[in-house]
Amino acid sequence: AMHARSVILLGFLAGASAFLSGPAPVAFGRTGRMALSQKLHMSTVPKVPYDGAAVTGPSGPTVPGDGDLDFLEAKPYWDQSGVTVNVAKQKNPHIGKIVSVQRMVGPNAPGETCNIIIDHDGKLPYWEGQSYGVIPPGIDPKRNKPYGVRLYSIASTRYGDDKTGKTTTLCVRRATYWCPELKADDPAKKGVCSNYLCDSKPGDEVKLTGPSGKVMLMPEDDVTQTYIMVATGTGIAPFRSFLRRLFGEANPAQKNFQGLAWLFLGVANKDALLYDEEFQVYLRQNPDKMRLDYALSREGPLNKKGGKMYIQDKVEEYADEVFDALDKGAHIYFCGLKGMMPGIQDMLKDVCKAKGLDFEEYLEGIKKKGQWHVEVY
């Protein structure tokens, strides 16, 4: 059931089939460390059926466990007045270190996507929904100047996947260019920063800027809110941080949440799903608080017109519920390639027309109320 207040989140993922359980969660006190004498009971992560590739280690599925994870909370925890931006700038970036780089898609996924953990030593704090900037090494041949900042949405909560408050996680797809003449990837045209990150090794230094952005922050003042998230590919990053905060940690938001988190995720096929095992754990443990809908464009099922199922088609299947949620105060989030938005807006226009609503007027109304959140690239 939809609740009195709602927030809508949509996302897309990539992966391969298996049955695994992730690591046991760790709960930390205010110091971010847990002494032997203070060890808390660890809850077991349930085994679940899932279609994505397994993400292991600290980035694997987690459950809240006992104790409190609250040493990075505002007071009260929903107060966003102290959210900081641009702590580190391009002229004076923070030097982080790569902790791990893990491929997170199956063999039949188009392209390669990696889960990358970076140690920021607690000196670049962020909130869920913010981004980090990465400055790749080298000189841009087009400008004959050092490369500029590339922004990446953060995929972990403020505590990091290891729950120490000292790391961040990025979800990065290696950008390549297929040359029709060579009939192969052209290395001269590959994405500079994405390849730099995906090729990095533990211990490598990385220049970081940020955190940046407040558009995608998750309001937590109403514990009955419903979050509806819509994403494509690595656009899953902010929504993975939302879901991990709501269901995977013993933080105040998780303990108080009584609303609904609804994720729409669009990818090519099951091998391209991202963080699916983790999401299936949350869904299994919180069936009344979470919904999960995937659109697999190359595998089906087909949309109602007999064509490929893209993200806008999957959302349209639930248009009445989505609009009802928005009417009750829902926040809707979009993240992914900018090419996703025309299809989304065309679908919403058609739904508005069928409901006798003026689309531009309707959209302007929910924007004024702060219910519409878009981060595309």
Side-chain angles (χ1 to χ4, degrees):
M2 305 302 287
H3 295 266
R5 285 285 309 275
S6 308
V7 182
I8 302 178
L9 317 178
L10 316 174
F12 300 177
L13 314 178
S17 300
F19 288 83
L20 296 173
S21 62
V26 180
F28 294 87
R30 289 187 177 274
T31 63
R33 300 172 185 265
M34 186 173 63
L36 290 175
S37 62
Q38 297 175 319
K39 280 189 176 178
L40 301 170
H41 170 71
M42 304 300 179
S43 299
T44 301
V45 178
K47 291 184 178 181
V48 294
Y50 66 99
D51 291 311
V55 182
T56 58
S59 295
T62 183
V63 293
D66 298 333
D68 295 312
L69 187 65
D70 59 6
F71 63 93
L72 292 178
E73 300 297 325
K75 293 182 179 179
Y77 72 89
W78 61 82
D79 182 3
Q80 297 178 350
S81 61
V83 175
T84 58
V85 296
N86 301 322
V87 174
K89 300 180 174 63
Q90 184 170 356
K91 291 184 178 180
N92 187 26
H94 175 72
I95 306 302
K97 286 191 175 182
I98 299 293
V99 175
S100 63
V101 178
Q102 182 181 11
R103 179 186 170 97
M104 57 185 302
V105 291
N108 296 317
E112 179 180 31
T113 301
C114 294
N115 182 86
I116 302 172
I117 299 179
I118 301 173
D119 183 353
H120 61 80
D121 198 31
K123 296 177 180 177
L124 213 56
Y126 57 87
W127 285 54
E128 297 75 20
Q130 290 192 296
S131 301
Y132 266 0
V134 175
I135 305 175
I139 301 297
D140 183 347
K142 295 180 180 178
R143 301 165 54 242
N144 197 31
K145 294 181 179 180
Y147 285 110
V149 174
R150 269 68 164 179
L151 292 178
Y152 292 91
S153 297
I154 294 172
S156 54
T157 72
R158 67 194 70 182
Y159 295 101
D161 289 351
D162 60 1
K163 302 181 182 180
T164 64
K166 295 184 177 182
T167 66
T168 191
T169 299
L170 303 182
C171 177
V172 180
R173 177 170 175 172
R174 186 188 296 273
T176 57
Y177 173 77
W178 177 266
C179 178
E181 294 180 2
L182 294 175
K183 290 183 168 46
D185 288 334
D186 184 347
K189 297 182 179 180
K190 65 182 182 181
V192 172
C193 198
S194 64
N195 281 271
Y196 158 64
L197 288 171
C198 290
D199 289 335
S200 61
K201 307 296 181 186
D204 287 355
E205 292 187 342
V206 56
K207 295 179 180 179
L208 301 173
T209 67
S212 64
K214 294 184 178 181
V215 172
M216 299 291 282
L217 294 178
M218 179 172 64
E220 296 175 334
D221 54 328
D222 182 353
V223 299
T224 67
Q225 285 177 339
T226 297
Y227 303 92
I228 302 178
M229 306 157 271
V230 183
T232 56
T234 56
I236 191 61
F239 308 137
R240 191 262 188 164
S241 77
F242 289 6
L243 293 173
R244 203 168 176 96
R245 179 162 174 81
L246 292 173
F247 303 122
E249 297 176 345
N251 61 64
Q254 180 273 329
K255 291 174 182 282
N256 291 306
F257 184 58
Q258 298 297 322
L260 175 69
W262 189 358
L263 176 66
F264 289 86
L265 172 62
V267 288
N269 54 30
K270 290 178 179 177
D271 269 22
L273 287 170
L274 305 169
Y275 303 110
D276 182 46
E277 182 187 14
E278 180 176 339
F279 296 155
Q280 297 298 340
V281 168
Y282 299 155
L283 189 63
R284 177 71 62 90
Q285 293 200 320
N286 304 275
D288 58 334
K289 297 179 183 179
M290 182 177 171
R291 292 176 66 170
L292 181 63
D293 287 284
Y294 290 155
L296 307 178
S297 60
R298 298 185 188 179
E299 287 187 4
L302 300 177
N303 64 28
K304 67 179 185 179
K305 298 178 182 177
K308 291 182 177 181
M309 178 71 75
Y310 291 110
I311 192 66
Q312 62 267 25
D313 302 312
K314 180 57 66 173
V315 177
E316 186 178 12
E317 289 184 5
Y318 301 95
D320 287 344
E321 290 182 78
V322 169
F323 272 69
D324 182 59
L326 288 169
D327 289 343
K328 294 176 180 177
H331 289 234
I332 187 163
Y333 295 76
F334 302 91
C335 189
L337 294 174
K338 60 183 178 182
M340 71 182 284
M341 292 311 295
I344 290 284
Q345 293 204 327
D346 286 345
M347 178 273 294
L348 293 176
K349 287 179 183 178
D350 290 342
V351 174
C352 280
K353 184 176 181 180
K355 291 179 175 292
L357 301 172
D358 180 279
F359 171 71
E360 298 298 338
E361 185 178 309
Y362 180 81
L363 182 59
E364 186 63 26
I366 59 176
K367 282 183 177 180
K368 282 185 176 180
K369 296 176 183 177
Q371 297 171 247
W372 180 267
H373 310 262
V374 179
E375 184 172 87
V376 293
Y377 41 87

